[in-house]
Amino acid sequence: MSHYEERLENDLENIRGEVSDLANRVKDAVKNSVHALLTNNQDLASATILGDGPINRKMREIDTLCHRFIAVHLPSAGHLRLMSSVIRINIILERIGDYAVTISRELQRINGAPDKRLAQGIELLSNEVQLMLSQSVASFDEENAELARATIAMSAQIDNTVSGLYEELLDEQAQWSLLERFAVFSAYHRLERIADQAKNLCEQTIFTVSGEGKGSKVYEVLFIDDDNSCLSQLAEAVARKHFPDSGIYTSVAGGEPAQSISSGLSEFMDSHGMDASSAEPKTLEVTPAELNRFHIIVSLAKPVSAYIGRVPFQTTALNWKLASVPADCACSEQDYEGIHRELSVLIKDLMTVLRGEGAV
């Protein structure tokens, strides 16, 4: 190994060691912030808050090391990917440290440990999140893309846990003060954001190891109306045809599903290049956890709230009023044409907002 190669490897090892040190500090900050909140340990909360200063300084030191490495070694290929990822991971870890500080400050807000039932929710979520964070750090340390991918998959379970905990906070029978509810909500939200950042860290690991960038997000969209005989069916078909790679689309009846789709709709869909072979009215049969997977719920008749008692916290509800629907809901081919045009514009606008101008 030449002197230059030896220096390059030593510089890389130094940067990796500094990142590992920062990651361990951040993991400890998250662990301590939750422990302080659950045990009413004001001293530990204060120490965690003060410990954010050294974390921020370490982040700046690593940033300087990365830029110095780029200037001295002019890296390419794998080394350049590593520097790019380290700079991003550096920011990710600093943000996680900030979330730990916020959780610690919530103890000062409520001036005591949260109610036992709420504490159990925080502990459940924090255990899942800390495991995900630890695995994401390990995947980077070990340059293990498979571990990173497996860790990313954990985010779905955490989303379900968060959704259930948010629902529990709305329990009107519970004797929790508004201040306590807000403090616990804040803790849930920060833990959720830590999981999001752990996922981002895993994506940087995959990029470092394989050069594979983050793929575009695929959105799950649910179209709903009274009986799933016409409007929601057509909306699903339009979305599938024009934006097949941007989303996963489902249509259901909010009430009793019709016996069959509307007269002439199948022929209209076929004539416009939309697959009508599986167009059959379906009812809404999902558990709260399954409903949580939908990013968007679009109602094409009544408000979404008329069909779904409580929309999941992370789901966006949209109510589209179509001007082209006849009053008696008996559609001619001309009516279908008008509805099709209107839906095409609305769906294009939606998917462009979600995925950008290149949505397909």
Side-chain angles (χ1 to χ4, degrees):
M1 180 182 293
S2 69
H3 175 72
Y4 170 76
E5 291 172 331
E6 184 177 354
R7 180 181 177 186
L8 184 146
E9 290 302 321
N10 286 339
D11 288 348
L12 283 175
E13 190 65 27
N14 181 41
I15 290 172
R16 280 191 168 277
E18 293 295 328
V19 172
S20 180
D21 178 53
L22 176 60
N24 287 331
R25 294 190 190 196
V26 168
K27 288 193 298 181
D28 287 344
V30 172
K31 178 181 177 181
N32 290 339
S33 67
V34 173
H35 184 72
L37 181 61
L38 295 178
T39 60
N40 191 25
N41 190 329
Q42 295 283 355
D43 291 339
L44 183 58
S46 296
T48 303
I49 293 169
L50 293 176
D52 192 51
I55 286 176
N56 291 340
R57 287 195 296 274
K58 177 66 69 175
M59 186 272 289
R60 290 192 292 271
E61 290 171 7
I62 293 172
D63 187 68
T64 299
L65 288 174
C66 288
H67 286 90
R68 182 180 299 156
F69 181 92
I70 293 171
V72 171
H73 297 289
L74 299 176
S76 61
H79 290 154
L80 184 58
R81 289 203 306 270
L82 174 60
M83 287 301 103
S84 175
S85 292
V86 168
I87 290 170
R88 292 188 178 95
I89 288 170
N90 202 26
I91 296 171
I92 288 169
L93 292 173
E94 190 269 338
R95 286 176 179 169
I96 293 174
D98 288 343
Y99 299 143
V101 168
T102 302
I103 294 171
S104 296
R105 291 192 185 282
E106 293 305 335
L107 179 58
Q108 298 174 350
R109 188 200 298 266
I110 60 177
N111 193 29
D115 174 83
K116 181 179 179 181
R117 183 173 154 197
L118 294 175
Q120 288 173 341
I122 294 173
E123 187 171 21
L124 170 65
L125 180 58
S126 68
N127 286 341
E128 293 180 2
V129 169
Q130 288 183 68
L131 176 60
M132 186 175 181
L133 177 59
S134 293
Q135 288 190 189
S136 68
V137 171
S139 71
F140 179 75
D141 285 342
E142 300 166 12
E143 299 184 60
N144 189 334
E146 291 309 310
L147 177 58
R149 290 188 177 93
T151 303
I152 288 173
M154 296 172 63
S155 61
Q157 175 56 46
I158 290 176
D159 286 345
N160 289 335
T161 299
V162 169
S163 181
L165 293 174
Y166 282 155
E167 290 292 320
E168 188 176 72
L169 269 182
L170 298 176
D171 184 357
E172 297 179 358
Q173 303 303 315
Q175 301 299 308
W176 304 320
S177 69
L178 187 60
L179 187 62
E180 189 172 23
R181 291 177 196 258
F182 270 119
V184 173
F185 172 84
S186 177
Y188 288 162
H189 179 61
R190 268 52 182 198
L191 287 168
E192 180 186 17
R193 292 297 297 133
I194 291 171
D196 290 340
Q197 295 296 346
K199 180 179 178 181
N200 292 339
L201 199 159
C202 288
E203 289 167 348
Q204 290 306 314
T205 296
I206 295 170
F207 174 70
T208 298
V209 175
S210 66
E212 178 185 335
K214 179 179 178 180
S216 298
K217 185 172 182 177
V218 175
Y219 290 86
E220 292 213 34
V221 182
L222 177 67
F223 296 102
I224 190 169
D225 60 15
D226 289 334
D227 61 9
N228 193 218
S229 65
C230 179
L231 300 180
S232 57
Q233 289 280 356
L234 188 52
E236 178 187 358
V238 169
R240 286 180 184 275
K241 177 184 177 182
H242 295 292
F243 300 96
D245 298 327
S246 296
I248 299 171
Y249 311 101
T250 307
S251 68
V252 295
E256 186 69 24
Q259 294 297 314
S260 61
I261 64 172
S262 297
S263 175
L265 179 58
S266 179
E267 292 78 8
F268 177 83
M269 289 167 62
D270 285 336
S271 69
H272 284 69
M274 293 177 279
D275 183 11
S277 60
S278 60
E280 180 180 337
K282 303 177 292 296
T283 190
L284 179 63
E285 293 181 344
V286 293
T287 65
E290 291 170 336
L291 190 63
N292 187 56
R293 78 174 189 266
F294 291 104
H295 300 96
I296 307 289
I297 298 177
V298 178
S299 174
L300 296 154
K302 300 171 184 174
V304 171
S305 58
Y307 303 121
I308 299 173
R310 186 169 287 167
V311 176
F313 184 80
Q314 297 185 9
T315 300
T316 301
L318 302 174
N319 301 301
W320 289 351
K321 296 296 183 182
L322 304 183
S324 50
V325 179
D328 58 4
C329 293
C331 295
S332 64
E333 183 173 354
Q334 184 177 358
D335 293 325
Y336 285 137
E337 195 67 60
I339 295 170
H340 174 258
R341 285 196 298 268
E342 196 170 354
L343 282 173
S344 295
V345 171
L346 289 167
I347 291 171
K348 179 181 179 181
D349 288 345
L350 173 62
M351 300 315 296
T352 298
V353 168
L354 295 177
R355 288 276 300 248
E357 291 295 336
V360 292

